[in-house]
Amino acid sequence: FNDITSKIGLENQSIPGGSIDVGKQNYLVRVPGQYEDPEKIKDIVVKAESEQPIYIRDVAQVIYGFKDRTTLSRENGQESVTIVIKKRSGENIIRIADEIKDLVKKKESTLPAGLKVSFTGDQSKNIKNTVHELENGIITGFFLVCLILLASMGLKNAFLVATSIPFSFFISFIILGAFGVTLNIVVLFGLILVLGIIVDDAIVVTENIYRLQETEGFTPYDAAIEGPREVQFPVTIATFTIISSFAPLLFFPGIVGQFMRYLPITLIVCLFSSLFVALVINPVLSSQFINFKRDRARLERKTKWYNVVTRFHLWFDRLFAGLVKKYERVLRFALRHRALTIGGTVFLLIAVIVVYGMFSKGIEFFPQVEPQQAFIYVNMPVGTNLDKSNEVTTKIEEKLPPFADIEYYLTNIGSEIGSGFGSDVANKNTITLSFYDKEDRSQSSFKTIEEIRHAIANITTADVRIQKQSGGPPTGPPVNIEISGDDFEKLGKISEDVKKLIKDIPGMKDLKDDFDEARPEIKITIDREKAALYNLNTTLIASNVRTAINGTTASKYRVSDKEYDITVRLDSSQRQNVEAVENIYIPGKDGAKVPLTSVAKIEFSGGIGAINRKDLKRVVTVSANAEGRLGNDVLTDVRKKLNDFKLPIGYNISYTGEQESQQESQSFLGKAFLVSLLLVFFFLVIEFNSVTSPIIIMFTVLLSLIGVLLGLLITQTPFGIIMTGIGVIALGGMVVRNAIILLDFQKELESRGMSRLESSVHSGMIRLRPVFLTAAATILGLVPLTTGVDFDWRSFSWVIGGQNTAFWRPMGVAIIFGLSVATFLTLIVVPTIFISVSNLKERFKRKPKQVSGEIVTQE
């Protein structure tokens, strides 16, 4: 090997051949030569000591061919070459994908006949579908909000309020762009969530301007000045309460926080923008366009189609007037029977909590979303060659064509693919399944994955598991048990015992561990003393063995601008058994050829494939997926099973993966909820200059929980740690704003001389419209994405069950039901509690005391 390798290197390339010392100078001796034909390699003289020179062709085969394959790739069972292209951080994936497609399209005419180029794993397509769906949600939500505004406020007022949406979005986009926030699915959902909220300020301001003209005879100009002035403080405080409920989410930790932080950023920026629009832009527009007397005069004169919209508004006005009268009767009844009202509400809260505890669907970390892709991992025993891996993987591929919902399947043999390429290992194989779009599938992709799992269950020669694409940030499997200790082999035994103990738990799928068992290997143990007798060392011996088995790149030959490796190694027949290794000769002292067996012991044995460490401790991880049950429920059963599991001293079990992220997020959201409540309470104290009123208003947060839990029960939605949790935190700011509007105006009426009881009734009646509108606008903005019933504004067709509905639905359900119930109860319960607390305060505050025959009042 050394002779041939060195000769090829010297003959074929200008590389160092030796050095000559001349004084203190070193001169490099080189034999120049550039071969451009592999056939000439055969004519290199290896030995010339004898009369007949010995050429390479006399002692070796020179083959002009390909390197041994380390991976294979197929698309739908046909041979293919897979090229993976990834974007750099911060780049636009849609632009990159479009440019690549354009480039391929231009080059298609130059490709050989029969060659097909297809795009697999195209994330830009999924992103476009998601963005399109969210855009539809924004447009549909905008129209629904406009519709309720039109019914409640008339065409002109509705138009003025609706303009706050584009104005607020325009200002928000400028600010978000300045902060470097790009448009993504979380930002788009943030726009949908805030769609109904950003009109709240404009509704209150515009409705007050209109009321001053209608009932108090203000001129348009005076109403535009006085209307915002009356409500500017409560409107500002109400906006800050919502902002303060989202502000703690800016500090969401971990990878989940990186994913969700765009939501509070978008909401906070949009809410500040909407406050500016409501207090500055809307009054200016109202002074020009709202004129109650002129509009009523025009209405009397016009009787044709122009009146259709206005008459619809008047019809709704009459309907709402009837609702106000009914509300007055209910409110007066509640105020007369305050103990019954408050006690009934508390009983309802407790009853709902109890019922939810009995019939809830459990707890989940992130919602289960129908995956667009799934991965079949086929792990062969360590040491399996590529051909055997290919044989087993082909059997699995043959079972896939009957599944009609699979658009294509991509097979990579010799590499494990998830989010990107893993290392090339002959025993690791991946089949990537891509499903058609949701509307084109005949059944849920969850069901298809389960059917595929049953179809390949009889493959026993490999560890076969299916993993679906995650709908949120990567958090690890729902069951992830880390076993740590010192002895790696003992860790492997413990992991086997753990798997046997939990394997029959319902809903558990793809149970596995990462203990890399002993792999077959030829172990060469060098006797250093014997090696030293022949002037050999471990490096030289290892180099010769590596050259014999794997080969060494002796040189390269060039053809124009291309280079080809020249690899020297033993013939295949001489390197595929242990005896061949034993017969390797090492060049020793004085040109002696030393058999490997003379200086080393050769044995066939096994060794650990890999050792994993975490925090400097050796770790083996047992993991599993959950199908048909919530991951939390499966993990709870796992914990019960392992509760009494006896571990050797020095060995520990910890639960990580999704559970670790869930506990971190759950802990943070609990703290964030408390911080948001404290911030809301702080702004309420500023607003009312009192502690009593803020405490009464904070009671509405508890009322919202009644709606949240009822909504989850009615829709049979699990409580999502992230999505439902954020929805509850958001509600904390939303529901108090209605109570602020209600109680602030009650104090205004009471200060004008109206009794406390009558001021509470009249405040509720007058503020019923803005309270109803703000709640209805927020709810209607979320309806399309939460229900999945939407209208496609490009194709002008109805869409039922969008791809993103399942992901955002828990948050939408929490906000819609929580806000609906809290709004209704706020209008009844808050005035009742306020009257009760105020009366109680007065009873303790004023105590009659007899002094000198006179009755005096002591504060």
Side-chain angles (χ1 to χ4, degrees), residues 54 98 162 254 380 386 402 407 439 469 536 542 569 595 613 633 662 736 752:
I54 300 176
D98 289 342
M380 301 290 291
L386 197 68
E407 184 178 6
E439 59 269 20
Q469 188 181 38
L536 299 174
R569 65 178 179 181
R613 286 188 178 90
D633 295 342
Q662 179 175 318
V736 299
R752 295 178 186 178

Side-chain angles (χ1 to χ4, degrees), residues 693-736:
S693 295
I695 291 175
I696 294 171
I697 291 174
M698 295 301 289
F699 187 70
T700 59
V701 178
L702 284 177
L703 301 182
S704 69
L705 291 179
I706 297 174
V708 172
L709 299 181
L710 280 175
L712 296 177
L713 281 173
I714 292 170
T715 59
Q716 289 294 284
T717 304
F719 189 100
I721 296 295
I722 299 299
M723 309 309 288
T724 311
I726 293 177
V728 171
I729 291 174
L731 274 174
M734 291 180 189
V735 297
V736 299

Side-chain angles (χ1 to χ4, degrees), residues 104-271:
V104 170
K105 191 173 182 180
K106 290 176 183 177
K107 296 290 183 180
E108 273 183 341
S109 58
T110 63
L111 297 177
L115 186 67
K116 177 188 173 185
V117 179
S118 56
F119 297 92
T120 58
D122 185 2
Q123 292 186 17
S124 68
K125 179 184 174 184
N126 296 334
I127 291 172
K128 284 178 180 177
N129 291 338
T130 300
V131 170
H132 176 55
E133 188 176 325
L134 292 170
E135 285 174 348
N136 282 335
I138 292 174
I139 297 171
T140 306
F142 176 76
F143 272 99
L144 289 174
V145 170
C146 289
L147 184 64
I148 193 67
L149 294 175
L150 182 67
S152 301
M153 308 184 73
L155 178 61
K156 193 175 293 184
N157 293 356
F159 174 76
L160 291 176
V161 172
T163 56
S164 63
I165 297 176
F167 278 131
S168 299
F169 280 177
F170 178 71
I171 296 171
S172 300
F173 287 150
I174 294 174
I175 298 172
L176 290 172
F179 281 109
V181 177
T182 57
L183 205 63
N184 56 50
I185 60 171
V186 182
V187 171
L188 284 171
F189 177 76
L191 296 178
I192 293 176
L193 178 58
V194 85
L195 187 67
I197 303 174
I198 58 177
V199 297
D200 289 357
D201 295 338
I203 287 172
V204 175
V205 172
T206 305
E207 195 274 338
N208 203 46
I209 292 172
Y210 187 81
R211 183 186 63 83
L212 290 176
Q213 290 190 36
E214 181 183 16
T215 61
E216 302 190 22
F218 277 66
T219 64
Y221 178 82
D222 291 338
I225 297 295
E226 182 63 18
R229 189 198 65 77
E230 280 188 359
V231 296
Q232 63 182 353
F233 196 61
V235 161
T236 302
I237 293 298
T239 302
F240 270 93
T241 58
I242 298 182
I243 290 172
S244 63
S245 67
F246 287 107
L249 297 178
L250 291 171
F251 305 98
F252 210 128
I255 193 168
V256 177
Q258 292 295 315
F259 180 77
M260 296 301 297
R261 71 186 182 93
Y262 294 103
L263 186 64
I265 290 173
T266 305
L267 291 166
I268 290 170
V269 169
C270 287
L271 287 168

Side-chain angles (χ1 to χ4, degrees), residues 802-817:
Q803 295 192 70
N804 295 285
T805 299
F807 188 75
W808 298 108
R809 188 166 176 253
M811 188 188 295
V813 167
I815 293 175
I816 288 174
F817 281 88

Side-chain angles (χ1 to χ4, degrees), residues 394-465:
T394 302
K395 291 180 180 178
I396 297 175
E397 284 181 279
E398 291 171 353
K399 298 179 181 292
L400 299 177
F403 297 98
D405 285 344
I406 298 177
E407 184 178 6
Y408 63 83
Y409 53 91
L410 186 66
T411 306
N412 289 90
I413 301 165
S415 62
E416 191 170 50
I417 299 178
S419 56
F421 278 102
S423 57
D424 294 343
V425 185
N427 67 304
K428 303 282 187 181
N429 316 287
T430 310
I431 302 175
T432 304
L433 310 175
S434 184
F435 302 105
Y436 287 106
D437 291 339
K438 187 175 180 181
E439 59 269 20
D440 298 326
R441 297 176 202 153
S442 60
Q443 63 182 16
S444 165
S445 55
F446 285 126
K447 187 175 181 181
T448 303
I449 290 173
E450 198 59 33
E451 290 175 354
I452 292 172
R453 181 179 277 112
H454 287 300
I456 61 178
N458 59 346
I459 303 293
T460 57
T461 52
D463 174 23
V464 182
R465 52 192 170 88

Side-chain angles (χ1 to χ4, degrees), residues 244-245 248 672-682 698 701 732-733:
S244 63
S245 67
F673 186 57
L674 291 176
V675 171
S676 68
L677 291 181
L678 289 173
L679 289 172
V680 169
F681 186 77
F682 170 75
M698 295 301 289
V701 178

